[in-house]
Amino acid sequence: MNLDRVKDIVKSYKNKKYKFIYKGSRNQIEEFEGTITDCFSSIFIIETTNGFKKSFSYNDFIIKNIRIIY
């Protein structure tokens, strides 16, 4: 999967509420609900339902550190 394809996929999820699973360091798993609000050249921003903003790189999506659950 190339980077341009991943950017298109992430942009297609923009402004819709989803559940996300993030696999962090030391096998910590975080689940949260939120909306992809912005897509930039190397990162995208998720605003959680709690009002926090989290940024992720498209590489996180490629290596499956962040997953979008319907």
Side-chain angles (χ1 to χ4, degrees), residues 8-69:
D8 290 339
I9 291 170
V10 172
K11 285 179 185 177
S12 71
Y13 292 124
K14 190 174 174 182
N15 297 323
K16 298 175 188 169
K17 188 175 178 181
Y18 292 101
K19 182 176 181 179
F20 298 91
I21 297 177
Y22 176 65
K23 181 181 172 187
S25 62
R26 297 186 179 180
N27 293 328
Q28 295 178 354
I29 296 175
E30 180 182 357
E31 294 185 23
F32 58 91
E33 290 185 5
T35 305
I36 298 174
T37 56
D38 292 311
C39 297
F40 299 103
S41 60
S42 59
I43 63 168
F44 59 97
I45 308 294
I46 299 174
E47 186 170 343
T48 65
T49 54
N50 301 3
F52 294 107
K53 291 187 178 183
K54 298 177 178 256
S55 63
F56 299 95
S57 70
Y58 296 105
N59 288 328
D60 286 329
F61 192 82
I62 291 172
I63 62 174
K64 298 181 181 176
N65 278 348
I66 183 88
R67 293 184 180 190
I68 299 172
I69 307 298

